[in-house]
Amino acid sequence: MKSIFQIVLWIICIFLGYMIYKSVTGPIEFDKIKKERYAEVIERLKDIRNAQDAYKTVNGRFANNFETLVAFVDTGKYTITQQRDSSYMEFDKVYQIDMLKEVKIIDTLGFVSVKDSLFKNSDRYKSMMNVPYAANNEKFTMKADIIDKGGYRAPVYEVKVPKVVILSDQPKDLLSRENAQVSVEEVNGPEIKVGSLTEVSTSGNWPPIYDKKGDQ
């Protein structure tokens, strides 16, 4: 009986030791996994943002769905222009003399493929709607709209994904804590997103640590 009691105590001690170990290492491992996955998700959101910026440059608004956006990247072209100053003499009816008139002339120099400009030899734009690490092949939610800002009708868009989609295989208690994050060094809130449907902004809600040098 004494031997059995000692074995049971050893089992309890080992179990408690393991639980203490997991309580210390669990958050560390979660943070590592989280940052690796967030980095990949954010890179994809940056691709979407770049494609949306190009779409707006050409069309004056943002795309409302990924089918339209992907098709645009496939076939869209930037117009390359050059602005130059010029002048000429024009008869002024008020002063009854020829007067110098200055103008700006915009010349079209050519066209550049959006696909080559943004993605070069990569076709990753064709799958930019897919959320990395999504257990059920979830896609980013994307919406576009026109809002009124001080009398100006401004095109806006928003792309987002819940953190739970990216971290669905992680401990629920740590995920709940992550959804409540409020820090300048963390992705705050329960979602990772870029753009806004209420403000004229194409920024993401991630901290600068996820931006490489030269990213906007």
Side-chain angles (χ1 to χ4, degrees):
M1 290 295 294
K2 183 178 180 181
S3 297
I4 294 175
F5 182 70
Q6 288 177 334
I7 292 171
V8 172
L9 283 178
W10 273 111
I11 292 173
I12 293 173
C13 288
I14 292 172
F15 175 75
L16 290 176
Y18 173 76
M19 294 303 293
I20 293 172
Y21 172 79
K22 287 295 292 182
S23 69
V24 174
T25 61
I28 296 174
E29 183 64 20
F30 175 84
D31 190 65
K32 178 183 177 183
I33 292 172
K34 174 192 76 175
K35 288 180 178 177
E36 289 175 352
R37 295 185 183 183
Y38 282 6
E40 193 167 335
V41 169
I42 288 168
E43 284 306 307
R44 196 154 296 185
L45 286 173
K46 290 176 184 177
D47 279 344
I48 296 171
R49 177 171 62 188
N50 291 338
Q52 281 282 30
D53 287 345
Y55 187 92
K56 179 177 177 291
T57 298
V58 175
N59 297 286
R61 63 186 187 279
F62 293 112
N64 196 43
N65 58 72
F66 283 106
E67 291 79 7
T68 300
L69 191 59
V70 170
F72 167 75
V73 174
D74 255 332
T75 61
K77 294 182 182 297
Y78 287 115
T79 303
I80 303 175
T81 61
Q82 174 182 277
Q83 181 175 286
R84 57 188 174 89
D85 296 327
S86 184
S87 61
Y88 61 93
M89 300 300 294
E90 182 179 70
F91 182 75
D92 189 290
K93 294 180 180 180
V94 176
Y95 294 100
Q96 296 295 304
I97 59 173
D98 287 335
M99 298 187 68
L100 184 68
K101 187 176 182 66
E102 296 183 347
V103 295
K104 291 186 182 295
I105 298 176
I106 298 177
D107 298 318
T108 299
L109 303 180
F111 302 90
V112 174
S113 164
V114 172
K115 179 171 60 176
D116 293 341
S117 177
L118 296 182
F119 299 98
K120 302 199 181 336
N121 298 321
S122 173
D123 64 351
R124 67 183 186 275
Y125 67 92
K126 294 181 179 180
S127 60
M128 61 185 172
M129 71 291 295
N130 299 327
V131 180
Y133 303 102
N136 299 307
N137 300 315
E138 289 93 342
K139 302 182 186 304
F140 291 103
T141 299
M142 182 168 74
K143 293 182 180 180
D145 201 358
I146 302 291
I147 62 173
D148 186 283
K149 282 294 180 181
Y152 169 69
R153 289 177 58 78
V156 294
Y157 77 95
E158 183 179 78
V159 187
K160 61 184 180 180
V161 59
K163 291 178 178 178
V164 67
V165 172
I166 306 162
L167 302 169
S168 60
D169 59 343
Q170 296 302 299
K172 302 305 179 188
D173 60 326
L174 296 178
L175 183 53
S176 295
R177 192 183 307 170
E178 173 62 23
N179 284 336
Q181 283 282 7
V182 179
S183 170
V184 295
E185 298 179 352
E186 299 289 347
V187 179
N188 294 329
E191 300 170 327
I192 303 181
K193 61 183 179 179
V194 64
S196 171
L197 291 176
T198 58
E199 299 294 333
V200 182
S201 171
T202 59
S203 298
N205 69 331
W206 55 82
I209 190 175
Y210 290 101
D211 289 319
K212 296 177 182 176
K213 187 176 182 181
D215 281 343
Q216 299 297 322

